[in-house]
Amino acid sequence: MSAAASEAPLKALVKEVEHLLSSLDPNVITGDKAHPVKMLWNQVGVSTYLVFFLLAALITLLIVFWGKKHMAPVPKGRAINAFELVVEFARSSLVDGVIHKDAAKYAPTILTFFFFILVNNLLGLIPGCKPGTGTISGTAALAIIVFIYFTFLGLKEKGGLGYLAGLVPHGLPKWVVPFVWLVEFVSMLMKPITHALRLFANMYAGHIIMGIFAILTQLFIVAPFAGQSWANALASPVWFLLLIVMYCMEFVVAAIQAYVFALLAAVYINQAISDGH
Protein backbone atom coordinates (compact mmCIF):
# COMPACT_ATOMS: atom_id res chain seq x y z
CA MET A 1 0.00 0.00 0.00
CA SER A 2 1.49 3.39 -1.01
CA ALA A 3 2.11 6.16 1.51
CA ALA A 4 -0.21 8.44 -0.45
CA ALA A 5 -3.06 5.93 -0.18
CA SER A 6 -2.68 5.64 3.58
CA GLU A 7 -3.14 9.38 4.09
CA ALA A 8 -6.35 11.37 3.85
CA PRO A 9 -7.21 12.11 0.22
CA LEU A 10 -6.79 15.87 0.49
CA LYS A 11 -3.45 15.50 2.26
CA ALA A 12 -2.26 13.01 -0.32
CA LEU A 13 -3.33 15.48 -3.01
CA VAL A 14 -0.42 17.77 -2.13
CA LYS A 15 2.18 15.09 -2.86
CA GLU A 16 0.40 13.96 -6.00
CA VAL A 17 0.19 17.51 -7.35
CA GLU A 18 3.91 18.00 -6.68
CA HIS A 19 4.57 14.85 -8.70
CA LEU A 20 2.24 16.12 -11.44
CA LEU A 21 4.05 19.47 -11.66
CA SER A 22 7.39 17.67 -11.79
CA SER A 23 6.20 15.46 -14.65
CA LEU A 24 4.94 18.53 -16.54
CA ASP A 25 8.15 20.48 -15.97
CA PRO A 26 8.20 22.96 -18.88
CA ASN A 27 12.00 23.07 -18.80
CA VAL A 28 12.41 19.34 -19.34
CA ILE A 29 12.89 19.79 -23.07
CA THR A 30 16.23 21.52 -22.50
CA GLY A 31 16.97 20.73 -18.87
CA ASP A 32 18.88 18.02 -17.06
CA LYS A 33 15.95 15.60 -17.34
CA ALA A 34 16.22 15.49 -21.12
CA HIS A 35 17.92 12.35 -22.40
CA PRO A 36 21.22 13.31 -24.12
CA VAL A 37 21.73 12.00 -27.63
CA LYS A 38 25.08 12.47 -29.34
CA MET A 39 24.82 14.01 -32.80
CA LEU A 40 28.20 14.45 -34.50
CA TRP A 41 30.30 16.54 -32.08
CA ASN A 42 27.40 17.81 -29.98
CA GLN A 43 24.80 16.41 -27.60
CA VAL A 44 21.11 17.19 -28.03
CA GLY A 45 18.58 16.77 -25.24
CA VAL A 46 15.74 14.52 -26.37
CA SER A 47 12.68 14.58 -24.12
CA THR A 48 9.15 13.27 -24.34
CA TYR A 49 8.07 16.79 -25.30
CA LEU A 50 10.34 16.74 -28.33
CA VAL A 51 9.23 13.24 -29.30
CA PHE A 52 5.57 14.24 -29.28
CA PHE A 53 6.44 17.48 -31.08
CA LEU A 54 7.90 15.42 -33.92
CA LEU A 55 4.99 12.98 -33.74
CA ALA A 56 2.58 15.90 -34.17
CA ALA A 57 4.52 17.01 -37.24
CA LEU A 58 4.21 13.51 -38.71
CA ILE A 59 0.48 13.33 -37.96
CA THR A 60 -0.03 16.75 -39.54
CA LEU A 61 1.76 15.62 -42.70
CA LEU A 62 -0.33 12.46 -42.88
CA ILE A 63 -3.56 14.45 -42.47
CA VAL A 64 -2.54 16.89 -45.21
CA PHE A 65 -1.53 14.13 -47.66
CA TRP A 66 -4.72 12.20 -46.87
CA GLY A 67 -6.82 15.32 -47.45
CA LYS A 68 -5.06 16.08 -50.73
CA LYS A 69 -5.54 12.52 -51.94
CA HIS A 70 -9.27 12.44 -51.20
CA MET A 71 -10.21 15.96 -52.27
CA ALA A 72 -12.58 16.12 -55.23
CA PRO A 73 -15.07 18.57 -56.79
CA VAL A 74 -17.77 16.62 -54.93
CA PRO A 75 -16.14 15.06 -51.83
CA LYS A 76 -17.48 11.70 -50.71
CA GLY A 77 -17.49 10.71 -47.07
CA ARG A 78 -18.06 12.52 -43.80
CA ALA A 79 -14.37 12.66 -42.90
CA ILE A 80 -13.22 14.45 -46.06
CA ASN A 81 -16.25 16.76 -45.93
CA ALA A 82 -15.41 17.68 -42.35
CA PHE A 83 -11.76 18.22 -43.29
CA GLU A 84 -12.69 20.52 -46.17
CA LEU A 85 -15.10 22.41 -43.93
CA VAL A 86 -12.33 23.08 -41.40
CA VAL A 87 -9.86 24.07 -44.14
CA GLU A 88 -12.33 26.48 -45.75
CA PHE A 89 -13.28 28.01 -42.41
CA ALA A 90 -9.63 28.44 -41.40
CA ARG A 91 -8.66 29.91 -44.74
CA SER A 92 -11.56 32.35 -44.95
CA SER A 93 -11.24 33.60 -41.36
CA LEU A 94 -7.48 33.36 -40.81
CA VAL A 95 -6.14 34.32 -44.23
CA ASP A 96 -8.67 35.97 -46.55
CA GLY A 97 -10.27 37.94 -43.75
CA VAL A 98 -7.01 39.18 -42.22
CA ILE A 99 -4.30 39.55 -44.88
CA HIS A 100 -5.26 42.23 -47.38
CA LYS A 101 -2.46 41.79 -49.92
CA ASP A 102 -1.73 38.54 -51.80
CA ALA A 103 -3.55 36.54 -49.13
CA ALA A 104 -3.41 33.27 -51.11
CA LYS A 105 0.37 33.39 -51.01
CA TYR A 106 0.42 33.04 -47.23
CA ALA A 107 -2.43 30.55 -46.84
CA PRO A 108 -0.18 27.42 -46.73
CA THR A 109 1.97 28.90 -43.95
CA ILE A 110 -0.95 30.06 -41.80
CA LEU A 111 -2.89 26.81 -42.23
CA THR A 112 0.22 24.77 -41.42
CA PHE A 113 0.60 26.61 -38.12
CA PHE A 114 -3.09 26.11 -37.37
CA PHE A 115 -3.21 22.37 -38.03
CA PHE A 116 0.18 21.63 -36.45
CA ILE A 117 -0.71 23.42 -33.23
CA LEU A 118 -4.18 21.88 -33.21
CA VAL A 119 -2.71 18.39 -33.49
CA ASN A 120 -0.25 19.19 -30.68
CA ASN A 121 -3.02 20.50 -28.45
CA LEU A 122 -5.25 17.49 -29.07
CA LEU A 123 -2.38 15.11 -28.35
CA GLY A 124 -2.11 16.82 -24.96
CA LEU A 125 -5.58 15.52 -24.08
CA ILE A 126 -4.36 11.92 -24.29
CA PRO A 127 -3.11 10.73 -20.88
CA GLY A 128 0.65 10.30 -20.89
CA CYS A 129 1.27 12.53 -23.91
CA LYS A 130 3.41 15.64 -23.56
CA PRO A 131 3.07 17.75 -26.70
CA GLY A 132 5.36 20.63 -27.60
CA THR A 133 2.68 23.22 -26.89
CA GLY A 134 2.80 22.14 -23.24
CA THR A 135 6.30 23.59 -22.81
CA ILE A 136 7.49 27.16 -23.22
CA SER A 137 10.42 25.93 -25.31
CA GLY A 138 8.05 24.47 -27.90
CA THR A 139 5.77 27.50 -28.13
CA ALA A 140 8.78 29.83 -28.16
CA ALA A 141 10.23 27.95 -31.14
CA LEU A 142 6.95 28.39 -33.03
CA ALA A 143 6.68 32.07 -32.09
CA ILE A 144 10.29 32.76 -33.14
CA ILE A 145 9.63 31.15 -36.53
CA VAL A 146 6.60 33.43 -36.98
CA PHE A 147 8.68 36.46 -35.94
CA ILE A 148 11.48 35.66 -38.36
CA TYR A 149 8.98 34.99 -41.14
CA PHE A 150 6.97 38.21 -40.90
CA THR A 151 10.14 40.28 -40.35
CA PHE A 152 11.65 38.78 -43.49
CA LEU A 153 8.47 39.54 -45.44
CA GLY A 154 8.45 43.12 -44.19
CA LEU A 155 12.10 43.68 -45.09
CA LYS A 156 11.59 42.10 -48.50
CA GLU A 157 8.50 44.18 -49.19
CA LYS A 158 9.72 47.57 -47.93
CA GLY A 159 13.47 47.33 -47.42
CA GLY A 160 15.25 47.85 -44.12
CA LEU A 161 14.68 51.59 -43.67
CA GLY A 162 11.17 51.42 -45.10
CA TYR A 163 10.18 48.62 -42.73
CA LEU A 164 11.55 50.39 -39.66
CA ALA A 165 10.05 53.73 -40.71
CA GLY A 166 6.72 51.99 -41.30
CA LEU A 167 6.45 51.13 -37.61
CA VAL A 168 5.10 54.65 -37.07
CA PRO A 169 1.61 55.44 -38.42
CA HIS A 170 1.34 58.24 -40.96
CA GLY A 171 0.16 61.72 -40.01
CA LEU A 172 1.69 62.04 -36.53
CA PRO A 173 3.38 65.28 -35.43
CA LYS A 174 7.13 65.12 -35.99
CA TRP A 175 8.02 65.62 -32.35
CA VAL A 176 5.93 62.56 -31.38
CA VAL A 177 7.44 60.26 -34.02
CA PRO A 178 10.62 59.22 -32.08
CA PHE A 179 8.63 58.26 -28.98
CA VAL A 180 5.99 56.35 -30.95
CA TRP A 181 8.68 54.61 -33.00
CA LEU A 182 10.47 53.46 -29.84
CA VAL A 183 7.23 52.12 -28.35
CA GLU A 184 6.34 50.34 -31.58
CA PHE A 185 9.84 48.90 -31.95
CA VAL A 186 9.79 47.47 -28.40
CA SER A 187 6.27 46.16 -29.05
CA MET A 188 7.50 44.40 -32.18
CA LEU A 189 10.32 42.73 -30.23
CA MET A 190 7.82 41.63 -27.56
CA LYS A 191 5.54 39.90 -30.08
CA PRO A 192 7.30 36.49 -30.01
CA ILE A 193 7.32 36.55 -26.19
CA THR A 194 3.60 37.26 -25.82
CA HIS A 195 2.83 34.94 -28.75
CA ALA A 196 4.63 32.05 -27.07
CA LEU A 197 3.39 32.72 -23.53
CA ARG A 198 -0.28 32.94 -24.55
CA LEU A 199 -0.31 29.47 -26.09
CA PHE A 200 1.91 27.85 -23.45
CA ALA A 201 0.06 29.29 -20.44
CA ASN A 202 -3.36 28.14 -21.66
CA MET A 203 -2.26 24.61 -22.54
CA TYR A 204 -0.04 24.13 -19.47
CA ALA A 205 -2.78 25.35 -17.12
CA GLY A 206 -5.30 23.02 -18.77
CA HIS A 207 -3.00 20.02 -18.29
CA ILE A 208 -2.57 20.86 -14.61
CA ILE A 209 -6.31 21.26 -13.99
CA MET A 210 -7.18 17.98 -15.72
CA GLY A 211 -4.38 16.25 -13.81
CA ILE A 212 -5.69 17.51 -10.47
CA PHE A 213 -9.25 16.31 -11.16
CA ALA A 214 -7.89 12.91 -12.25
CA ILE A 215 -5.82 12.68 -9.05
CA LEU A 216 -8.82 13.59 -6.88
CA THR A 217 -10.94 10.93 -8.60
CA GLN A 218 -8.28 8.29 -7.95
CA LEU A 219 -7.59 9.32 -4.34
CA PHE A 220 -11.22 9.26 -3.29
CA ILE A 221 -11.73 5.85 -4.92
CA VAL A 222 -8.79 4.21 -3.12
CA ALA A 223 -9.50 5.90 0.24
CA PRO A 224 -11.81 3.14 1.59
CA PHE A 225 -9.23 0.49 0.72
CA ALA A 226 -6.70 2.45 2.74
CA GLY A 227 -8.82 2.09 5.87
CA GLN A 228 -10.70 5.38 5.48
CA SER A 229 -14.41 6.04 5.41
CA TRP A 230 -16.44 4.72 2.50
CA ALA A 231 -18.03 8.16 2.39
CA ASN A 232 -14.88 9.36 0.65
CA ALA A 233 -15.61 7.04 -2.26
CA LEU A 234 -18.97 8.73 -2.79
CA ALA A 235 -17.14 11.93 -3.78
CA SER A 236 -15.17 10.24 -6.57
CA PRO A 237 -18.05 10.27 -9.13
CA VAL A 238 -18.33 14.03 -8.62
CA TRP A 239 -14.65 14.54 -9.35
CA PHE A 240 -14.93 12.19 -12.32
CA LEU A 241 -17.84 14.17 -13.77
CA LEU A 242 -15.88 17.39 -13.30
CA LEU A 243 -12.96 15.73 -15.07
CA ILE A 244 -15.20 14.88 -18.04
CA VAL A 245 -16.45 18.47 -18.14
CA MET A 246 -12.86 19.74 -18.09
CA TYR A 247 -11.93 17.38 -20.92
CA CYS A 248 -14.78 18.75 -23.04
CA MET A 249 -13.70 22.30 -22.26
CA GLU A 250 -10.10 21.50 -23.12
CA PHE A 251 -11.17 20.23 -26.56
CA VAL A 252 -12.64 23.67 -27.17
CA VAL A 253 -9.58 25.42 -25.70
CA ALA A 254 -7.26 23.30 -27.88
CA ALA A 255 -9.06 24.47 -31.03
CA ILE A 256 -9.35 28.09 -29.88
CA GLN A 257 -5.67 28.38 -28.97
CA ALA A 258 -4.57 26.91 -32.32
CA TYR A 259 -6.89 29.41 -34.01
CA VAL A 260 -5.63 32.37 -31.96
CA PHE A 261 -1.96 31.53 -32.61
CA ALA A 262 -2.56 31.28 -36.37
CA LEU A 263 -4.73 34.42 -36.30
CA LEU A 264 -1.99 36.45 -34.61
CA ALA A 265 0.55 35.11 -37.12
CA ALA A 266 -1.73 36.34 -39.94
CA VAL A 267 -2.15 39.74 -38.24
CA TYR A 268 1.62 40.13 -37.88
CA ILE A 269 2.16 39.23 -41.53
CA ASN A 270 -0.47 41.70 -42.65
CA GLN A 271 1.09 44.44 -40.52
CA ALA A 272 4.54 43.69 -41.93
CA ILE A 273 3.55 43.87 -45.61
CA SER A 274 0.81 46.49 -45.52
CA ASP A 275 1.38 50.18 -46.20
CA GLY A 276 0.10 51.12 -42.78
CA HIS A 277 2.97 49.37 -40.95
Side-chain angles (χ1 to χ4, degrees):
M1 184 180 301
S2 66
S6 63
E7 298 176 12
L10 293 179
K11 290 183 179 179
L13 176 65
V14 177
K15 291 184 179 181
E16 294 293 342
V17 170
E18 288 178 354
H19 176 72
L20 171 66
L21 294 177
S22 176
S23 66
L24 293 176
D25 183 2
N27 295 317
V28 71
I29 198 166
T30 55
D32 296 334
K33 297 179 182 179
H35 180 67
V37 174
K38 190 165 177 128
M39 297 181 66
L40 300 178
W41 60 88
N42 196 14
Q43 282 192 340
V44 178
V46 177
S47 69
T48 49
Y49 283 111
L50 180 57
V51 171
F52 281 104
F53 209 57
L54 297 175
L55 177 61
L58 177 61
I59 293 173
T60 304
L61 284 173
L62 292 175
I63 292 174
V64 170
F65 286 131
W66 171 83
K68 183 179 179 181
K69 179 180 178 182
H70 290 84
M71 276 194 176
V74 181
K76 296 181 180 180
R78 293 182 180 179
I80 190 61
N81 274 282
F83 177 74
E84 285 202 12
L85 180 64
V86 173
V87 171
E88 287 301 319
F89 169 76
R91 176 162 183 166
S92 62
S93 60
L94 292 174
V95 183
D96 298 335
V98 177
I99 302 177
H100 304 141
K101 184 178 180 181
D102 299 327
K105 184 192 301 184
Y106 309 106
T109 301
I110 301 301
L111 293 180
T112 297
F113 276 116
F114 171 70
F115 280 105
F116 177 63
I117 294 171
L118 179 60
V119 170
N120 267 284
N121 293 349
L122 293 178
L123 278 176
L125 300 179
I126 302 175
C129 295
K130 297 180 180 180
T133 51
T135 170
I136 188 61
S137 300
T139 59
L142 293 170
I144 289 172
I145 292 173
V146 172
F147 178 77
I148 293 173
Y149 183 63
F150 77 73
T151 302
F152 169 77
L153 292 176
L155 294 173
K156 182 180 178 181
E157 184 75 19
K158 305 174 183 177
L161 293 177
Y163 180 69
L164 292 175
L167 294 175
V168 181
H170 300 298
L172 293 177
K174 291 185 178 180
W175 66 272
V176 177
V177 169
F179 300 101
V180 175
W181 184 89
L182 181 61
V183 171
E184 291 294 331
F185 182 73
V186 173
S187 176
M188 181 186 70
L189 296 180
M190 291 292 292
K191 284 178 179 176
I193 299 175
T194 57
H195 207 184
L197 285 175
R198 183 180 288 104
L199 176 59
F200 161 69
N202 280 279
M203 302 316 300
Y204 185 65
H207 296 163
I208 292 175
I209 293 173
M210 288 191 299
I212 289 175
F213 282 121
I215 290 169
L216 285 168
T217 302
Q218 174 194 354
L219 289 177
F220 277 91
I221 288 176
V222 302
F225 303 100
Q228 309 219 351
S229 170
W230 279 91
N232 287 330
L234 299 178
S236 58
V238 177
W239 294 117
F240 181 72
L241 289 175
L242 290 174
L243 175 62
I244 297 300
V245 172
M246 285 305 306
Y247 255 97
C248 294
M249 290 181 60
E250 281 302 307
F251 269 103
V252 177
V253 171
I256 290 176
Q257 290 307 311
Y259 183 88
V260 169
F261 189 97
L263 177 63
L264 288 174
V267 169
Y268 297 156
I269 291 172
N270 182 63
Q271 290 176 343
I273 64 176
S274 66
D275 296 332
H277 187 65

